[in-house]
Amino acid sequence: MSQYTTGEIARLCSVTVRTVQYYDSRGILTPSALTEGGRRLFSDDDLKKLKTICFLRELGFSIDAISRLFAEENPVSVISLLLEQQETELRTELEKNQEKLEKIIQLKKEIGFSKDISVENIFDIAHTLENKKSLRNFRIKMLLWAIPVGILEWGSIALWCFKDMWWPFVIYTAIAIPFAAVFSKIYHKKIDYICPECHTQFKPSFKAMFFASHTPKTRKLVCPSCGKKSYCIEVWGDKK
């Protein structure tokens, strides 16, 4: 049976001598023998054990978890539980990293659209990205409500034009006007705006918001802080 010094077993497993010494001090890699001079010697079984430790460390297992595993007489149930826990942690970390990656890609895209960029601009973009999911979900809900109304509108117009039936359009109008008013009120309540000049987040009056010219993501408003009129960025403003 082969025997290895601390340096040799470390080299065979591509780790440092300090790492082997640390595992020894934690009691998870005890040398099989000692020389007369006190040098530690490791066997082939120790080599396999160290490779197992290195493999588990690569998977993200902690020293304590590995120690518990080696202390068990029947490690099958323990390793299954540890693998399940590690899988859950890694999936959570992967989701967080995916969110970070999407934010970085979006930030690069937004910066690419701007000729002049500043720290304040980056803050505005970051704030918008943080609220993007809530804002997107809200817009989807509003769109799902608006689609049936749009179908009714075009249906009633078609009946009037091709069938000379005007009364469906009258009924639709009676329904659509209150719906539009409620729709606009809800939108006003949920949405805030960020001024691109002074970076203040504010909520305009309903009248100012309703009649302002706009793009899908901005609306031309007067900032109550700096007084400048510009296309302000829509952000999620619901505090509940």
Side-chain angles (χ1 to χ4, degrees):
M1 181 179 288
S2 301
Q3 288 187 317
Y4 310 94
T5 64
T6 302
E8 289 171 341
I9 197 173
R11 185 172 62 256
L12 289 171
C13 294
S14 301
V15 296
T16 64
V17 171
R18 187 180 295 273
T19 298
V20 176
Q21 293 171 339
Y22 174 69
Y23 292 159
D24 184 7
S25 68
R26 292 298 301 269
I28 62 174
L29 184 68
T30 305
S32 299
L34 292 174
T35 65
E36 292 181 359
R39 294 184 66 187
R40 289 168 164 74
L41 296 176
F42 298 89
S43 65
D44 287 329
D45 288 339
D46 295 329
L47 177 61
K48 291 178 182 178
K49 191 174 185 179
L50 179 56
K51 288 182 177 180
T52 302
I53 294 169
C54 293
F55 175 69
L56 293 174
R57 290 293 288 158
E58 286 178 4
L59 295 180
F61 286 94
S62 66
I63 297 297
D64 290 336
I66 296 173
S67 180
R68 290 198 304 271
L69 178 63
F70 287 151
E72 291 289 330
E73 293 183 3
N74 182 15
V76 176
S77 58
V78 178
I79 190 64
S80 297
L81 179 60
L82 290 175
L83 286 171
E84 186 175 340
Q85 291 175 342
Q86 190 65 15
E87 180 184 4
T88 301
E89 292 177 6
L90 288 174
R91 287 186 182 278
T92 301
E93 185 178 350
L94 184 62
E95 290 175 1
K96 290 180 179 178
N97 287 334
Q98 183 63 35
E99 290 179 2
K100 290 178 183 178
L101 178 60
E102 290 175 359
K103 287 182 179 180
I104 288 173
I105 293 172
Q106 189 62 34
L107 181 59
K108 286 177 62 181
K109 193 179 296 183
E110 294 289 341
I111 290 175
F113 290 147
S114 303
K115 294 181 180 179
D116 299 317
I117 197 71
S118 65
V119 175
E120 290 80 4
N121 294 138
I122 294 175
F123 171 79
D124 291 345
I125 295 171
H127 184 69
T128 302
L129 293 179
E130 288 176 0
N131 293 275
K132 189 175 182 179
K133 186 175 181 180
S134 297
L135 186 59
R136 182 177 66 248
N137 291 340
F138 172 69
R139 283 173 171 165
I140 290 173
K141 289 178 182 179
M142 292 291 99
L143 183 61
L144 291 176
W145 277 100
I147 287 174
V149 176
I151 292 173
L152 288 174
E153 176 186 8
W154 287 106
S156 63
I157 293 174
L159 287 173
W160 194 355
C161 293
F162 299 106
K163 299 291 185 179
D164 200 25
M165 295 173 60
W166 55 268
W167 57 267
F169 182 78
V170 174
I171 295 174
Y172 159 77
T173 303
I175 296 173
I177 292 175
F179 176 85
V182 173
F183 182 95
S184 300
K185 283 288 186 180
I186 294 174
Y187 200 85
H188 175 258
K189 179 182 178 181
K190 300 291 185 180
I191 303 300
D192 280 0
Y193 295 86
I194 294 180
C195 173
E197 300 294 333
C198 67
H199 314 286
T200 299
Q201 181 173 335
F202 66 97
K203 186 180 292 295
S205 66
F206 175 77
K207 181 179 179 182
M209 185 211 74
F210 188 81
F211 290 104
S213 57
H214 60 89
T215 69
K217 296 182 180 180
T218 64
R219 199 170 291 263
K220 196 167 188 178
L221 299 164
V222 176
C223 174
S225 180
C226 67
K228 292 186 177 180
K229 187 174 185 178
S230 53
Y231 279 96
C232 301
I233 303 170
E234 286 190 352
V235 294
W236 182 246
D238 188 26
K239 302 299 188 293
K240 294 182 181 180

